Amino acid sequence: MTLSVQSFAKLPNDYVIIERSRGLSLLEEKLVYMLINSMQKRYEDSKREEQFDYNYIASASISFDEFVENMQIGSTNRKEIALALENLILFAIAIRTSKQDRFLTMFTEFIADYETNTIAYRFNDSFIMYFTDICKDYFKLSVQEVIALNSTHAIRIYQILKTKQNMTQCAFEYNVLELKKMINIQDKYKLYSDFKRKVIELAKQQINNSEASQFNIDYEEIKTGKAVTSIKFHILKKGKNYYDENGTLPRYKLDLIKK
């Protein structure tokens, strides 16, 4: 199994690394984040109680229409949804520290009911444990942030950089091969010009044009000789009143994002 690597959190005297078993399609990526956001809300509700109800946190259902409408994915059919669910049940992550490697799937069950047009699902309890602890920043994208990005590469690059958002530095350099591995496209875009156009430029355009992104990005190419070997991303923080100052959103959308 080929795993992509991303250092995303620091524990006392140690680093935590997340690895994905494969890249996700746009449909799969958006479905994952919608279900994680829903699970996170149930988790926050449970925190107010004296004891966590892991069954309540782990399990729920959504309607096909709710998913398609909320995530703005356009029309989809039963076959596409079934394939996405079949792929996600096998989707695995690795959580690594210097002392331990742990491998787990995110989901234990999906039930696509075509009579009620609903998807019932259950998260792996081990994933919930890590999500609510050291992984909470890794998966912390809101539905609004994901909706506005229509490329799985843009979602992954935004996710990678968001884990760095609150650090004191604002520039982060990645070797091109390392970056391709992190977004699970190490076997694609052999020509750098294709990688730049279809991944880096597309991600920059979508992130910077997003109404819900918490920052803009820019990048510079680092060369070894004539070849581009690294990309240095710059996180351009948006001020608290960014949308007001730029006049880019009607009031009702601004109020929605603030909520």
Side-chain angles (χ1 to χ4, degrees), residues 98-132:
S98 62
K99 298 178 181 179
Q100 185 184 74
D101 290 333
R102 179 180 289 263
F103 305 92
L104 54 96
T105 57
M106 292 179 64
F107 300 95
T108 61
E109 184 179 40
F110 287 109
I111 301 174
D113 190 319
Y114 301 115
E115 291 187 352
T116 61
N117 283 329
T118 59
I119 301 170
Y121 61 92
R122 182 176 179 85
F123 281 99
N124 186 329
D125 287 349
S126 294
F127 172 74
I128 292 176
M129 179 182 69
Y130 276 90
F131 171 82
T132 56

Side-chain angles (χ1 to χ4, degrees), residues 8 25 30 62 77 138 202 222 225 248 253:
F8 74 98
S25 70
K30 291 197 170 190
I62 60 171
N77 57 42
Y138 180 76
L202 179 62
I222 310 299
T248 56
K253 283 192 176 182

Side-chain angles (χ1 to χ4, degrees), residues 44 54 83 131 168 195 227:
E44 295 297 332
Y54 273 94
L83 179 60
F131 171 82
T168 53
F195 175 65

Side-chain angles (χ1 to χ4, degrees), residues 157 161 170-174 176 179 192-193 195-205 208 216-222 228 230-236:
I157 288 175
L161 295 177
C170 295
F172 303 92
E173 184 174 334
Y174 298 93
V176 169
L179 183 61
Y192 173 75
S193 58
F195 175 65
K196 176 180 178 179
R197 176 170 53 89
K198 296 181 179 181
V199 179
I200 305 298
E201 280 292 336
L202 179 62
K204 175 184 173 181
Q205 179 186 24
N208 293 354
N216 288 342
I217 67 168
D218 203 353
Y219 69 93
E220 57 183 301
E221 299 170 326
I222 310 299
V228 176
S230 295
I231 302 293
K232 179 179 283 189
F233 288 103
H234 297 270
I235 294 178
L236 310 175

Side-chain angles (χ1 to χ4, degrees), residues 176-193:
V176 169
L177 296 179
E178 175 193 19
L179 183 61
K180 290 177 70 175
K181 187 176 181 181
M182 290 168 69
I183 52 182
N184 296 88
I185 55 170
Q186 52 268 48
D187 297 325
K188 295 183 178 180
Y189 311 120
K190 300 296 184 182
L191 294 177
Y192 173 75
S193 58

Side-chain angles (χ1 to χ4, degrees), residues 11-16 95-102:
L11 298 176
N13 304 316
D14 204 356
Y15 281 93
V16 180
I95 301 172
R96 300 183 185 273
T97 67
S98 62
K99 298 178 181 179
Q100 185 184 74
D101 290 333
R102 179 180 289 263

Side-chain angles (χ1 to χ4, degrees), residues 42-80:
R42 296 192 298 277
Y43 165 67
E44 295 297 332
D45 289 341
S46 291
K47 282 202 305 185
R48 302 185 185 97
E49 305 296 329
E50 293 184 1
Q51 185 174 0
F52 280 163
D53 182 348
Y54 273 94
N55 189 59
Y56 166 70
I57 296 171
S59 304
S61 65
I62 60 171
S63 70
F64 293 168
D65 292 341
E66 179 185 7
F67 170 53
V68 171
E69 181 179 352
N70 288 350
M71 300 309 291
Q72 297 181 12
I73 59 172
S75 61
T76 189
N77 57 42
R78 176 187 298 188
K79 185 177 180 180
E80 290 174 309

Side-chain angles (χ1 to χ4, degrees), residues 138-162:
Y138 180 76
F139 293 100
K140 204 169 184 179
L141 295 189
S142 69
V143 169
Q144 287 81 5
E145 288 171 297
V146 177
I147 286 173
L149 302 175
N150 291 314
S151 159
T152 186
H153 303 329
I155 293 173
R156 289 291 290 123
I157 288 175
Y158 182 76
Q159 178 197 32
I160 290 166
L161 295 177
K162 189 174 180 183

